[in-house]
Amino acid sequence: MAKVLILFAHPRYENSLVQQHLSTVAQKVSGVTFHDLYEFYPDFDVQIKYEQDLLIGHDIIILQHPFYWYSCPPLLKQWIDLVLEHGWAYGRAGKALAGKIMMNAVSTGGSQAAYQPDGFNRFTIGQFLAPFDQTARLCNMAYYPPFVVHGTHRAATRDIENAGESYRLLLEGIVAGKFSDEAIRNVTYLNELIN
Amino acid sequence: MDQVFFSHALVYLAAAVLVVPFAKRLGMGSVLGYLIAGIIIGPYLLGFVGAEGEDIMHVAEFGVVMMLFLVGLELEPSRLWRLRSSILGLGGLQVLGTSLLLAIPGVLLGLSWNVALAIGMILSMSSTAIVLQTLGEKGLMHSSAGQNSFSVLLFQDLAIIPILAVLPLLSFHGGGQEMEVPGETGLIDHLPGWAQTLAVFGAVVAVIFIGTTLVRPLLRYVAGTRLRELFTAAALLLVVGITALMYSVGLSPALGTFLGGVVLANSEYRHELESDIEPFKGLLLGLFFIAVGASVNFGLILENPFLVLSLVASIMVLKTIVLYALARLFRMGTDQGLVFAVSLSQVGEFAFVLLSFARQQRILDENLTAMLMAIVALTMALTPLMILLNEKLIIPRVGTEELAEQIEPDRIDEKNPVIIAGFGRYGNIVGRFLKANGIGTTVLEIDSDRVELLRKLGLKVYYGDATREELLKSAGAEAAQLIVIALDSPEKCLELVETVKKHYPHLHVLVRAQDRSDAYEFMDAGVLYVYRETFDSSLRMGVDALKILGRRSYQAHQAMNIFRRHDNKALKHLATLRGDRKQYINHAREKIMELEKFIEADLQDRALDHDAGWDVESLKEEFRAS
């Protein structure tokens, strides 16, 4: 049984049907700790010790957030800046996170086709997430491909429900250790593991 | 010291200790309790004390003097200046109107006009001791009734001087006694008139001058010895010194010490002085009230019960009418006007002084003086009862309507999620903020004038004492989700917390604390959301100070967040350490000791050195090493 920590960052939660649904689903999966950063730190006053202890108590860290300007909302970046300290998360003595796994779970307004070399956004989601990939590497963590919900701008109720169902199955699978490393390495999005 | 002293002390103290808590529990307030204790030990019931009652009253009058000193300490000169129109206007008209109106029936009853006028002036005084004590206990000092009562009492204190000057002129017997001040003989009696006037002004100037220049260095010097009792001695010396000076020039010592208090209101020793004088004042005032109770001449009353009682009643009614008319003239609401008028309707302790002076001047004969003394004592004894009656019977009928009567059965728009108790300087900001965010609030406020004003501005504000369970109920406490408690007095806030916890445990309680010791009380009472009212504002000022000194905004802001967290933690920690000592340790001392602990904790908490994630020093070192 893997322990999953979801670091959730959304400054406009009230207006996001997709993220609301994903969050509701995630909170019901046993083995998952759901940590709502904007609810905890409205003034960006991230409490470092508390966050580090939380990380130590979990195996898999999921950064769940909307895809803002091809990255995460600012509080999550603040969290990364402050919590992943030199000498603790990285550097010669920084081994606290060694062996853990990190991944992103993001929602974007654009479709998957828009995130292609010949698409509107010119780069893939995977390319945009390179900083997170390297952050995980620097901190001695493995980095998984992302879970992505595309097309939130025009998602119908059914699409949202489907996305939620996929997320639930994925989280349950991760907690149960159902997916092999090899299967994970061979997908672009973790969504592909479900189906 | 002789045995008599101890046996008297035993009787007085025992009476106070036994009777006052009982009276207080019955909701009568301490003043009535002391008075009853006095009556019980007095010559007409148990007879433990007798003729010396009057002597004790003279000693105990010093309690009134101390009270005025404390009142002065609370009152900065700027506030006094703001009150000038109500002091002069309201107070002046009260003394003038009451004197004349009380003199007219005197003339009609066959007294000569000069005697009637003297009696009128004497009876126009109200009791500073009773009124301030009672209004203070009821948390009404900051209401308009409280403020205006204070102004009137202050004017009366000032008016003593001209009245003492005028009384001899009313004496047809004249002779060698004029201008003699009761009590100690003045040092300046032998001086010519102009020199006496000069001496009086000189004394006032001396109090102000000494207060502003000499007292502070003296107190600093005394405080430097770190001998607690020496500071108490210095505080007493200050009050006694002013009193002696005032007596020597024939001014009211109460007025003098009041002035001394005002001068020291801005000094750093204010709280220390307050906490030193406070117990003396309380005890002496208690003694004073007991003496008043003991001096009620029941023999005289029983001889002419009808005459005495009808005189008492007519005096109080007349005074109430004058006061109420003035209250309306000065735009007070019905309730506040009634509280104001009834509170001041008795004749005060200065009347004893003036009566004995008038007796010396042979304006009044012995029988009349004794009769008036009994009447004065009776009006004082009746005041707490009158206030109680006014509160329970009269105001509920004619006053600003309370919420209970306002809700018609079919109106359900008062199902607001938030109740705000107290809409003063703190509560109103919370209320405005919630309203701006579309949250419905029901506001309860005890100052009826404020209620009227806010209603005129279109706000839904209801008058009433929020600590009453019925009022909470009709304000929709059952359906509400949270209550914001921001009443003016900490005691009232605590009372409301208890009421809410008992009757509406589902409500989230958010309470404003004036300072740390308040915060402790609320934490002890189990309140989760406690807000020290000046804390955030002080921190924001600190942030701006850091910024002006060149610290960048974000760093300063972050330092504030960390300090706030640290301070709240320290607060919780120290709250658990307090235990039972809080009852005994001197308040001001405790605060200073506590501040020391906080500062120590500030220095030890390494978290105050913050946000190492952005500090690349260790990273640089590692690079250099490799």
Side-chain angles (χ1 to χ4, degrees), chain A residues 45 78 81 85-86 91-92, chain B residues 554 558 561 565 614 618 622:
Chain A
D45 181 25
Q78 175 105 343
D81 280 10
E85 285 179 320
H86 176 250
R92 202 179 308 121
Chain B
Y554 183 78
Q558 198 57 8
N561 282 333
R565 201 158 57 231
W614 283 316
S618 66
E622 196 172 312

Side-chain angles (χ1 to χ4, degrees), chain A residues 8-46:
Chain A
F8 175 63
H10 201 314
R12 275 286 178 170
Y13 181 75
E14 300 87 336
N15 300 358
S16 168
L17 295 178
V18 174
Q19 287 287 359
Q20 279 176 28
H21 188 59
L22 293 183
S23 304
T24 317
V25 166
Q27 287 175 64
K28 285 184 194 149
V29 177
S30 70
V32 171
T33 306
F34 189 85
H35 185 34
D36 187 343
L37 293 180
Y38 272 94
E39 192 65 16
F40 255 65
Y41 306 121
D43 51 5
F44 278 48
D45 181 25
V46 176

Side-chain angles (χ1 to χ4, degrees), chain A residues 72-91:
Chain A
C72 63
L75 178 55
L76 187 54
K77 179 59 166 59
Q78 175 105 343
W79 182 96
I80 292 169
D81 280 10
L82 295 178
V83 178
L84 304 180
E85 285 179 320
H86 176 250
W88 184 81
Y90 69 102

Side-chain angles (χ1 to χ4, degrees), chain B residues 181-221:
Chain B
V181 175
E184 278 85 333
T185 26
L187 293 170
I188 56 169
D189 288 347
H190 58 280
L191 296 175
W194 61 268
Q196 287 191 14
T197 315
L198 210 63
V200 166
F201 277 108
V204 172
V205 171
V207 168
I208 296 176
F209 175 76
I210 292 172
T212 44
T213 57
L214 296 181
V215 172
R216 280 160 76 173
L218 174 73
L219 290 178
R220 198 170 309 131
Y221 174 68

